[in-house]
Amino acid sequence: MATTETRMPAVQECTVSGCSYNQDDGCHTFAITVYGANGVADCGTFVPLSRKGGLPKVLAQVGACSRADCIHNSDLECTASGVRIAPGEGDHAANCLTYSPR
Ligand code: SF4
């Protein structure tokens, strides 16, 4: 029987230091969700609490993404080899920099 390998894209870097899951420019939750509209892709897992959380030895992956207009998106999953997240402007606290409109 053939097996199908499923690999989620790594969050290679996240510079959103104000997020509870961020330590040393790395995201330490198990998986993030990306969403957004109007030309930006926001990280929906951003948590601005005063305490840090996550798992120190875990580097996050992209679990789901609803930016269907991104060239890396297939069936609402991210197919990029990895993504980078950085602070956004205004209400957009954390943006996927790897987002690229079709
Ligand atoms: S690269 Fe595109 S498909 Fe992947 S998480 Fe970012 S916005 Fe979503």
Coordinates of all heavy atoms in Angstrom, one line a residue:
M1 N 0.8 -1.2 0.0 CA 0.0 0.0 0.0 C 0.9 1.2 0.0 O 1.8 1.3 0.8 CB -0.9 0.0 1.2 CG -1.8 1.2 1.3 SD -2.8 1.5 2.8 CE -2.9 -0.1 3.6
A2 N 0.6 2.2 -0.9 CA 1.4 3.4 -0.9 C 1.1 4.3 0.3 O -0.1 4.3 0.8 CB 1.0 4.2 -2.2
T3 N 2.1 5.0 0.7 CA 1.9 5.9 1.8 C 2.1 7.3 1.3 O 2.8 7.6 0.4 CB 2.9 5.7 3.0 OG1 4.2 5.8 2.4 CG2 2.7 4.3 3.6
T4 N 1.4 8.2 1.9 CA 1.5 9.6 1.5 C 2.0 10.4 2.7 O 1.5 10.4 3.8 CB 0.1 10.2 1.1 OG1 -0.5 9.4 0.1 CG2 0.2 11.6 0.7
E5 N 3.2 11.1 2.4 CA 3.8 11.8 3.5 C 3.2 13.2 3.5 O 3.0 13.9 2.5 CB 5.3 12.0 3.2 CG 6.0 12.7 4.4 CD 7.5 12.8 4.1 OE1 7.9 12.3 3.1 OE2 8.2 13.4 4.9
T6 N 2.8 13.6 4.7 CA 2.2 15.0 4.9 C 3.2 15.8 5.8 O 3.5 15.4 6.9 CB 0.9 14.9 5.6 OG1 0.0 14.0 4.8 CG2 0.2 16.3 5.7
R7 N 3.6 16.9 5.2 CA 4.6 17.7 5.9 C 4.1 19.1 6.0 O 3.7 19.7 4.9 CB 5.9 17.6 5.2 CG 7.1 18.3 6.0 CD 8.4 18.1 5.4 NE 8.7 16.6 5.3 CZ 9.9 16.2 4.8 NH1 10.8 17.0 4.4 NH2 10.1 14.9 4.8
M8 N 4.0 19.7 7.1 CA 3.5 21.1 7.2 C 4.7 22.0 7.2 O 5.8 21.7 7.6 CB 2.8 21.3 8.6 CG 1.5 20.4 8.7 SD 0.4 20.9 10.0 CE 1.5 20.7 11.5
P9 N 4.5 23.2 6.6 CA 5.6 24.2 6.5 C 6.0 24.7 7.8 O 5.2 25.0 8.7 CB 5.0 25.3 5.6 CG 3.6 25.0 5.4 CD 3.3 23.7 6.0
A10 N 7.3 24.8 8.0 CA 7.9 25.3 9.3 C 7.7 26.9 9.3 O 7.8 27.6 8.3 CB 9.3 25.0 9.4
V11 N 7.5 27.4 10.5 CA 7.7 28.8 10.8 C 9.2 29.0 11.0 O 9.7 28.8 12.1 CB 6.8 29.3 12.0 CG1 7.0 30.8 12.2 CG2 5.3 28.9 11.7
Q12 N 9.9 29.4 9.9 CA 11.3 29.5 10.0 C 11.8 30.6 10.9 O 12.9 30.6 11.4 CB 11.9 29.7 8.6 CG 11.6 28.4 7.7 CD 11.9 28.7 6.2 OE1 11.7 29.8 5.7 NE2 12.4 27.6 5.6
E13 N 11.0 31.7 10.9 CA 11.4 32.8 11.8 C 10.1 33.6 12.1 O 9.2 33.7 11.3 CB 12.3 33.7 11.0 CG 12.7 35.0 11.8 CD 13.6 35.9 11.0 OE1 13.1 36.4 9.9 OE2 14.7 36.3 11.4
C14 N 10.0 34.1 13.3 CA 9.0 35.0 13.7 C 9.6 36.1 14.6 O 10.2 35.7 15.7 CB 7.9 34.3 14.5 SG 6.6 35.5 15.0
T15 N 9.5 37.3 14.2 CA 10.1 38.4 14.9 C 9.1 39.2 15.7 O 9.4 40.3 16.1 CB 10.9 39.3 14.0 OG1 9.9 39.8 13.0 CG2 12.0 38.6 13.3
V16 N 8.0 38.6 16.0 CA 6.9 39.3 16.8 C 7.2 39.0 18.3 O 6.7 38.1 18.9 CB 5.5 38.8 16.4 CG1 4.5 39.6 17.1 CG2 5.3 38.9 14.9
S17 N 8.1 39.8 18.8 CA 8.6 39.5 20.2 C 7.5 39.7 21.2 O 7.6 39.2 22.4 CB 9.8 40.5 20.5 OG 9.4 41.8 20.4
G18 N 6.4 40.5 20.9 CA 5.4 40.7 21.9 C 4.4 39.5 22.0 O 3.5 39.5 22.8
C19 N 4.6 38.5 21.2 CA 3.7 37.3 21.3 C 4.2 36.3 22.3 O 5.4 36.1 22.5 CB 3.7 36.6 19.9 SG 2.6 35.1 19.9
S20 N 3.2 35.8 23.1 CA 3.6 34.9 24.2 C 4.4 33.6 23.7 O 5.1 33.0 24.4 CB 2.3 34.4 24.9 OG 1.7 35.5 25.5
Y21 N 4.2 33.2 22.4 CA 4.8 32.0 21.9 C 6.2 32.3 21.3 O 6.9 31.4 20.9 CB 4.0 31.4 20.8 CG 2.7 30.8 21.4 CD1 1.4 31.2 21.0 CD2 2.7 29.7 22.3 CE1 0.3 30.7 21.4 CE2 1.6 29.1 22.8 CZ 0.4 29.6 22.3 OH -0.8 29.0 22.8
N22 N 6.6 33.6 21.3 CA 7.9 34.0 20.7 C 9.0 34.0 21.7 O 8.9 34.6 22.8 CB 7.7 35.3 20.0 CG 8.9 35.7 19.2 OD1 10.0 35.9 19.7 ND2 8.7 35.7 17.9
Q23 N 10.1 33.3 21.3 CA 11.3 33.3 22.1 C 12.5 33.3 21.1 O 12.6 32.4 20.3 CB 11.4 32.1 23.1 CG 10.4 32.2 24.2 CD 10.5 31.0 25.1 OE1 11.6 30.5 25.4 NE2 9.4 30.4 25.5
D24 N 13.3 34.3 21.2 CA 14.5 34.4 20.4 C 14.2 34.3 18.9 O 14.9 33.5 18.2 CB 15.6 33.3 20.8 CG 16.0 33.4 22.2 OD1 16.1 34.6 22.7 OD2 16.1 32.4 22.9
D25 N 13.2 35.0 18.4 CA 12.8 35.1 17.0 C 12.3 33.7 16.5 O 12.4 33.4 15.3 CB 13.9 35.6 16.1 CG 14.1 37.1 16.3 OD1 13.2 37.7 16.9 OD2 15.1 37.6 15.9
G26 N 11.8 32.9 17.4 CA 11.2 31.6 17.1 C 9.9 31.5 17.6 O 9.6 32.0 18.7
C27 N 9.0 30.8 16.9 CA 7.6 30.5 17.4 C 7.6 29.1 18.0 O 8.0 28.1 17.4 CB 6.6 30.6 16.3 SG 4.9 30.2 16.8
H28 N 7.1 29.0 19.3 CA 7.2 27.7 20.0 C 5.8 27.1 20.3 O 5.7 26.4 21.3 CB 8.0 27.9 21.3 CG 9.5 28.3 20.9 ND1 10.4 27.3 20.6 CD2 10.1 29.4 20.8 CE1 11.6 27.9 20.4 NE2 11.4 29.2 20.4
T29 N 4.8 27.5 19.6 CA 3.6 26.7 19.7 C 3.7 25.6 18.6 O 4.6 25.6 17.8 CB 2.3 27.5 19.5 OG1 1.2 26.7 19.8 CG2 2.2 28.0 18.1
F30 N 2.8 24.6 18.7 CA 2.9 23.5 17.8 C 2.6 23.8 16.4 O 3.2 23.5 15.4 CB 2.1 22.3 18.3 CG 2.4 21.0 17.5 CD1 3.6 20.3 17.8 CD2 1.5 20.5 16.6 CE1 3.9 19.2 17.1 CE2 1.8 19.3 15.9 CZ 3.0 18.7 16.2
A31 N 1.5 24.6 16.2 CA 1.0 25.0 14.8 C 0.3 26.3 14.9 O -0.4 26.6 15.9 CB 0.2 23.9 14.2
I32 N 0.4 27.1 13.9 CA -0.3 28.4 13.8 C -1.3 28.3 12.7 O -1.3 27.4 11.8 CB 0.7 29.6 13.5 CG1 1.3 29.5 12.1 CG2 1.8 29.6 14.6 CD1 2.0 30.7 11.6
T33 N -2.3 29.2 12.8 CA -3.3 29.4 11.7 C -3.1 30.8 11.1 O -2.9 31.8 11.9 CB -4.7 29.3 12.3 OG1 -4.9 28.0 12.9 CG2 -5.8 29.5 11.3
V34 N -3.1 30.8 9.8 CA -2.9 32.1 9.1 C -4.3 32.4 8.4 O -4.9 31.6 7.9 CB -1.8 32.0 8.1 CG1 -1.7 33.3 7.3 CG2 -0.5 31.7 8.8
Y35 N -4.6 33.7 8.5 CA -5.9 34.1 7.9 C -5.7 35.6 7.4 O -4.5 36.1 7.3 CB -7.0 34.1 8.9 CG -7.0 35.1 9.9 CD1 -8.0 36.2 9.9 CD2 -5.9 35.2 10.9 CE1 -7.9 37.2 10.9 CE2 -5.9 36.2 11.8 CZ -6.9 37.2 11.8 OH -6.8 38.2 12.7
G36 N -6.7 36.3 7.1 CA -6.6 37.7 6.8 C -7.3 38.1 5.5 O -7.9 37.3 4.8
A37 N -7.3 39.4 5.2 CA -8.0 40.0 4.1 C -7.3 41.2 3.7 O -6.4 41.7 4.3 CB -9.5 40.2 4.5
N38 N -7.8 41.8 2.6 CA -7.3 43.1 2.1 C -5.8 43.1 1.9 O -5.1 44.0 2.4 CB -7.7 44.2 3.1 CG -9.2 44.3 3.2 OD1 -9.9 44.1 2.2 ND2 -9.7 44.6 4.3
G39 N -5.2 42.1 1.3 CA -3.8 42.1 0.9 C -2.8 41.7 2.0 O -1.6 41.8 1.8
V40 N -3.3 41.3 3.2 CA -2.3 40.9 4.2 C -2.7 39.5 4.7 O -3.9 39.1 4.6 CB -2.3 41.9 5.4 CG1 -1.8 43.2 5.0 CG2 -3.7 41.9 6.1
A41 N -1.7 38.8 5.3 CA -2.0 37.5 5.8 C -1.6 37.6 7.3 O -0.4 37.7 7.6 CB -1.2 36.5 5.1
D42 N -2.5 37.6 8.2 CA -2.3 37.7 9.6 C -2.1 36.3 10.2 O -2.7 35.4 9.9 CB -3.4 38.4 10.3 CG -3.6 39.8 9.8 OD1 -2.6 40.4 9.4 OD2 -4.8 40.3 9.9
C43 N -1.2 36.3 11.3 CA -1.1 35.1 12.1 C -2.3 35.1 13.1 O -2.4 36.0 13.9 CB 0.2 35.0 12.8 SG 0.3 33.7 14.0
G44 N -3.1 34.1 13.1 CA -4.3 34.1 14.0 C -4.0 33.5 15.3 O -4.8 33.4 16.2
T45 N -2.7 33.1 15.5 CA -2.3 32.5 16.8 C -1.6 33.5 17.7 O -1.2 33.1 18.8 CB -1.4 31.2 16.5 OG1 -2.1 30.4 15.5 CG2 -1.2 30.4 17.7
F46 N -1.4 34.7 17.2 CA -0.8 35.7 18.0 C -1.5 35.9 19.4 O -2.7 36.1 19.5 CB -0.9 37.1 17.3 CG -0.4 38.3 18.1 CD1 0.9 38.4 18.4 CD2 -1.3 39.3 18.4 CE1 1.4 39.5 19.2 CE2 -0.8 40.4 19.1 CZ 0.5 40.5 19.5
V47 N -0.7 35.8 20.5 CA -1.3 35.9 21.8 C -0.4 36.9 22.6 O 0.7 36.6 23.0 CB -1.2 34.5 22.5 CG1 -1.7 34.7 24.0 CG2 -2.0 33.5 21.8
P48 N -1.0 38.1 22.9 CA -0.2 39.1 23.5 C -0.4 39.2 25.0 O -0.7 40.2 25.6 CB -0.8 40.4 22.9 CG -2.2 40.1 22.6 CD -2.3 38.6 22.3
L49 N -0.1 38.0 25.7 CA -0.2 38.0 27.1 C 1.1 38.4 27.8 O 2.1 38.3 27.1 CB -0.6 36.6 27.6 CG -2.0 36.1 27.2 CD1 -2.3 34.7 27.7 CD2 -3.1 37.1 27.7
S50 N 1.1 38.7 29.0 CA 2.3 39.1 29.7 C 3.2 37.9 30.0 O 4.4 38.1 30.4 CB 2.0 39.9 31.0 OG 1.2 39.1 31.8
R51 N 2.7 36.7 30.0 CA 3.5 35.5 30.3 C 3.8 34.8 29.0 O 3.1 34.9 28.0 CB 2.7 34.6 31.2 CG 1.4 34.1 30.6 CD 0.8 33.0 31.4 NE 1.5 31.8 31.2 CZ 1.1 30.6 31.6 NH1 0.0 30.5 32.2 NH2 1.9 29.5 31.5
K52 N 5.0 34.1 29.0 CA 5.4 33.4 27.9 C 4.8 31.9 27.9 O 4.5 31.4 29.0 CB 6.9 33.3 27.8 CG 7.6 34.6 27.4 CD 7.3 34.9 25.9 CE 8.1 36.2 25.5 NZ 7.8 36.6 24.1
G53 N 4.6 31.3 26.8 CA 4.1 30.0 26.8 C 4.7 29.2 25.6 O 5.7 29.6 25.1
G54 N 4.1 28.0 25.3 CA 4.6 27.2 24.2 C 5.6 26.2 24.8 O 5.8 26.0 26.0
L55 N 6.2 25.4 23.9 CA 7.1 24.3 24.2 C 8.5 24.7 23.7 O 8.7 24.9 22.6 CB 6.6 23.1 23.5 CG 5.1 22.7 23.9 CD1 4.6 21.6 22.9 CD2 5.0 22.2 25.3
P56 N 9.4 24.8 24.7 CA 10.7 25.3 24.3 C 11.4 24.6 23.2 O 12.1 25.2 22.4 CB 11.5 25.2 25.6 CG 10.5 25.1 26.7 CD 9.3 24.5 26.1
K57 N 11.2 23.3 23.0 CA 12.0 22.5 22.0 C 11.2 22.4 20.7 O 11.6 21.8 19.8 CB 12.4 21.2 22.6 CG 13.4 21.3 23.7 CD 13.9 19.9 24.1 CE 15.0 20.1 25.1 NZ 15.4 18.8 25.7
V58 N 10.0 23.0 20.7 CA 9.1 22.9 19.5 C 9.3 24.1 18.7 O 9.2 25.2 19.2 CB 7.6 22.7 19.9 CG1 6.7 22.9 18.7 CG2 7.4 21.3 20.5
L59 N 9.4 23.9 17.3 CA 9.3 25.0 16.4 C 8.0 24.9 15.6 O 7.8 23.8 15.1 CB 10.5 25.1 15.5 CG 11.8 25.7 16.1 CD1 13.0 25.7 15.1 CD2 11.5 27.1 16.6
A60 N 7.3 25.9 15.5 CA 5.9 25.9 15.0 C 5.9 25.5 13.5 O 6.8 25.8 12.8 CB 5.2 27.2 15.2
Q61 N 4.7 25.0 13.1 CA 4.4 24.8 11.7 C 3.1 25.5 11.4 O 2.4 25.9 12.3 CB 4.3 23.3 11.5 CG 5.6 22.5 11.8 CD 5.3 21.0 11.8 OE1 4.4 20.5 12.4 NE2 6.2 20.3 11.0
V62 N 2.9 25.6 10.1 CA 1.6 26.2 9.7 C 0.6 25.1 9.6 O 0.6 24.2 8.7 CB 1.7 26.9 8.3 CG1 0.4 27.6 7.9 CG2 2.8 28.0 8.3
G63 N -0.4 25.2 10.5 CA -1.4 24.1 10.5 C -2.6 24.4 9.6 O -3.1 23.4 9.0
A64 N -2.9 25.6 9.3 CA -4.0 25.9 8.4 C -3.8 27.4 7.9 O -3.2 28.2 8.6 CB -5.3 25.8 9.1
C65 N -4.3 27.6 6.7 CA -4.3 29.0 6.2 C -5.5 29.2 5.3 O -5.7 28.5 4.3 CB -3.0 29.2 5.4 SG -2.9 30.9 4.7
S66 N -6.2 30.3 5.5 CA -7.4 30.6 4.7 C -7.1 31.7 3.7 O -8.0 32.1 3.0 CB -8.5 31.1 5.7 OG -8.1 32.2 6.4
R67 N -5.8 32.0 3.4 CA -5.5 32.9 2.3 C -5.4 32.2 1.0 O -4.4 31.9 0.5 CB -4.2 33.6 2.6 CG -4.2 34.7 3.7 CD -5.3 35.8 3.6 NE -5.6 36.3 2.2 CZ -5.5 37.5 1.9 NH1 -5.2 38.4 2.8 NH2 -5.8 37.9 0.7
A68 N -6.6 31.9 0.5 CA -6.7 31.1 -0.7 C -6.1 31.8 -2.0 O -5.8 31.2 -3.0 CB -8.2 30.7 -1.0
D69 N -5.9 33.1 -1.8 CA -5.4 33.9 -3.0 C -3.9 33.9 -3.0 O -3.2 34.4 -3.9 CB -5.9 35.3 -2.9 CG -5.4 36.0 -1.7 OD1 -5.4 35.4 -0.6 OD2 -5.1 37.2 -1.8
C70 N -3.2 33.2 -2.0 CA -1.7 33.1 -2.0 C -1.3 32.0 -2.9 O -1.9 31.0 -3.0 CB -1.3 32.9 -0.6 SG 0.5 32.6 -0.4
I71 N -0.2 32.3 -3.6 CA 0.3 31.3 -4.6 C 0.8 30.0 -3.9 O 0.8 28.9 -4.5 CB 1.5 31.8 -5.4 CG1 2.7 32.2 -4.5 CG2 1.1 32.9 -6.3 CD1 4.0 32.5 -5.3
H72 N 1.0 30.0 -2.6 CA 1.5 28.9 -1.8 C 0.3 28.1 -1.2 O 0.5 27.0 -0.6 CB 2.4 29.2 -0.7 CG 3.6 29.9 -1.1 ND1 4.6 29.3 -1.9 CD2 4.0 31.2 -0.9 CE1 5.6 30.2 -2.1 NE2 5.3 31.3 -1.6
N73 N -0.9 28.6 -1.4 CA -2.1 27.9 -0.8 C -2.7 26.9 -1.8 O -3.0 27.2 -2.9 CB -3.1 29.0 -0.4 CG -4.1 28.5 0.6 OD1 -4.9 27.6 0.2 ND2 -4.1 29.1 1.8
S74 N -3.0 25.7 -1.2 CA -3.7 24.7 -2.0 C -4.7 24.1 -1.1 O -4.4 23.5 0.0 CB -2.7 23.7 -2.5 OG -3.4 22.6 -3.1
D75 N -6.0 24.2 -1.4 CA -7.0 23.6 -0.6 C -7.0 24.1 0.8 O -7.2 23.3 1.8 CB -7.0 22.1 -0.7 CG -7.3 21.5 -2.1 OD1 -8.0 22.2 -2.8 OD2 -6.7 20.5 -2.4
L76 N -6.7 25.4 1.0 CA -6.6 26.0 2.3 C -5.5 25.5 3.2 O -5.6 25.5 4.4 CB -8.0 26.0 3.0 CG -9.2 26.6 2.2 CD1 -10.5 26.4 3.0 CD2 -8.9 28.0 1.9
E77 N -4.5 24.9 2.6 CA -3.3 24.5 3.3 C -2.1 25.2 2.6 O -2.1 25.5 1.4 CB -3.1 23.0 3.2 CG -4.2 22.1 3.7 CD -4.2 22.1 5.3 OE1 -3.2 22.6 5.9 OE2 -5.3 21.8 5.8
C78 N -1.1 25.5 3.4 CA 0.1 26.1 2.9 C 1.1 25.1 2.4 O 1.4 24.1 3.1 CB 0.8 26.9 4.0 SG 2.3 27.7 3.5
T79 N 1.6 25.3 1.2 CA 2.5 24.3 0.5 C 3.9 24.9 0.4 O 4.8 24.3 -0.2 CB 2.0 24.0 -0.9 OG1 2.0 25.2 -1.7 CG2 0.6 23.4 -0.9
A80 N 4.2 26.1 1.0 CA 5.5 26.6 1.0 C 6.5 25.7 1.8 O 6.0 25.0 2.7 CB 5.5 28.0 1.6
S81 N 7.8 25.8 1.5 CA 8.7 25.0 2.3 C 8.8 25.6 3.8 O 9.2 24.8 4.7 CB 10.1 25.0 1.6 OG 10.5 26.3 1.5
G82 N 8.5 26.8 3.9 CA 8.6 27.4 5.2 C 8.1 28.9 5.1 O 8.0 29.4 4.0
V83 N 7.7 29.5 6.2 CA 7.2 30.8 6.2 C 7.9 31.7 7.2 O 8.5 31.2 8.2 CB 5.7 30.9 6.5 CG1 4.9 30.0 5.5 CG2 5.4 30.5 7.9
R84 N 7.9 33.0 7.0 CA 8.5 33.9 8.0 C 7.3 34.8 8.4 O 6.5 35.3 7.6 CB 9.6 34.7 7.3 CG 10.8 33.8 7.0 CD 11.9 34.6 6.2 NE 12.3 35.8 6.9 CZ 12.2 37.0 6.3 NH1 11.7 37.1 5.1 NH2 12.6 38.1 7.0
I85 N 7.3 35.1 9.7 CA 6.3 36.0 10.3 C 7.0 37.2 10.9 O 8.1 37.1 11.5 CB 5.5 35.3 11.4 CG1 5.0 33.9 10.9 CG2 4.4 36.1 11.9 CD1 3.9 34.0 9.9
A86 N 6.4 38.4 10.8 CA 6.9 39.6 11.3 C 5.8 40.5 11.8 O 4.6 40.3 11.4 CB 7.8 40.3 10.3
P87 N 6.1 41.5 12.6 CA 5.1 42.4 13.0 C 4.4 43.2 11.8 O 5.1 43.5 10.9 CB 5.8 43.4 13.9 CG 7.1 42.7 14.3 CD 7.4 41.8 13.2
G88 N 3.1 43.4 11.9 CA 2.4 44.2 10.9 C 2.1 45.6 11.4 O 2.6 46.0 12.5
E89 N 1.3 46.3 10.7 CA 0.9 47.6 11.1 C -0.5 47.7 11.6 O -1.4 46.9 11.1 CB 1.1 48.6 9.9 CG 2.6 48.7 9.5 CD 2.8 49.6 8.3 OE1 1.7 50.2 7.9 OE2 3.9 49.7 7.8
G90 N -0.8 48.6 12.5 CA -2.2 48.8 12.9 C -2.7 47.6 13.6 O -2.1 47.0 14.5
D91 N -3.9 47.1 13.1 CA -4.5 46.0 13.7 C -3.9 44.7 13.3 O -4.2 43.6 13.9 CB -6.0 45.9 13.3 CG -6.8 47.1 13.9 OD1 -6.4 47.6 14.9 OD2 -7.9 47.4 13.3
H92 N -2.9 44.7 12.4 CA -2.3 43.5 11.9 C -1.0 43.2 12.7 O 0.1 43.6 12.4 CB -2.0 43.6 10.4 CG -3.2 44.0 9.6 ND1 -4.2 43.1 9.4 CD2 -3.5 45.2 9.0 CE1 -5.1 43.7 8.7 NE2 -4.7 45.0 8.4
A93 N -1.2 42.5 13.8 CA -0.1 42.4 14.8 C 1.0 41.5 14.3 O 2.2 41.6 14.6 CB -0.6 41.8 16.1
A94 N 0.7 40.5 13.5 CA 1.7 39.5 13.0 C 1.3 39.1 11.6 O 0.2 38.6 11.3 CB 1.7 38.3 13.9
N95 N 2.2 39.4 10.6 CA 1.9 39.1 9.2 C 2.8 37.9 8.7 O 4.0 37.8 9.1 CB 2.2 40.3 8.4 CG 1.2 41.4 8.5 OD1 1.5 42.5 8.2 ND2 0.1 41.1 9.1
C96 N 2.3 37.2 7.8 CA 3.0 36.2 7.1 C 3.8 36.9 5.9 O 3.1 37.3 5.0 CB 2.1 35.1 6.5 SG 3.0 33.9 5.5
L97 N 5.1 37.0 6.0 CA 5.8 37.7 4.9 C 6.0 36.8 3.7 O 6.4 37.3 2.6 CB 7.3 38.0 5.5 CG 7.3 38.9 6.7 CD1 8.8 39.2 7.0 CD2 6.6 40.2 6.4
T98 N 5.7 35.5 3.8 CA 5.8 34.6 2.6 C 4.6 34.7 1.8 O 4.6 34.2 0.6 CB 6.1 33.2 3.1 OG1 7.1 33.2 4.1 CG2 6.5 32.3 2.0
Y99 N 3.5 35.4 2.2 CA 2.3 35.6 1.4 C 2.6 36.2 0.1 O 3.3 37.2 0.1 CB 1.3 36.4 2.2 CG 0.2 37.0 1.4 CD1 -0.8 36.1 0.9 CD2 0.0 38.3 1.2 CE1 -1.9 36.6 0.2 CE2 -1.0 38.8 0.5 CZ -2.0 37.9 0.0 OH -3.1 38.4 -0.7
S100 N 2.1 35.7 -1.0 CA 2.4 36.2 -2.3 C 1.1 36.1 -3.1 O 0.7 34.9 -3.4 CB 3.5 35.5 -3.0 OG 3.8 36.1 -4.2
P101 N 0.4 37.1 -3.4 CA -0.9 37.0 -4.2 C -0.7 36.4 -5.5 O 0.3 36.6 -6.2 CB -1.4 38.5 -4.3 CG -0.4 39.3 -3.6 CD 0.8 38.5 -3.2
R102 N -1.6 35.6 -5.9 CA -1.6 35.0 -7.3 C -1.6 36.0 -8.4 O -2.2 37.0 -8.3 CB -2.8 34.0 -7.5 CG -2.8 32.8 -6.5 CD -4.0 31.9 -6.8 NE -4.2 31.1 -5.7 CZ -3.6 29.9 -5.5 NH1 -2.8 29.4 -6.4 NH2 -3.9 29.1 -4.5
Ligands
SF4_1 S1 2.8 31.6 2.5 FE1 0.7 31.9 1.8 S2 -0.4 29.9 2.1 FE2 1.5 29.9 3.4 S3 0.8 30.6 5.4 FE3 1.6 32.4 4.3 S4 -0.3 33.3 3.3 FE4 -0.8 31.2 3.9

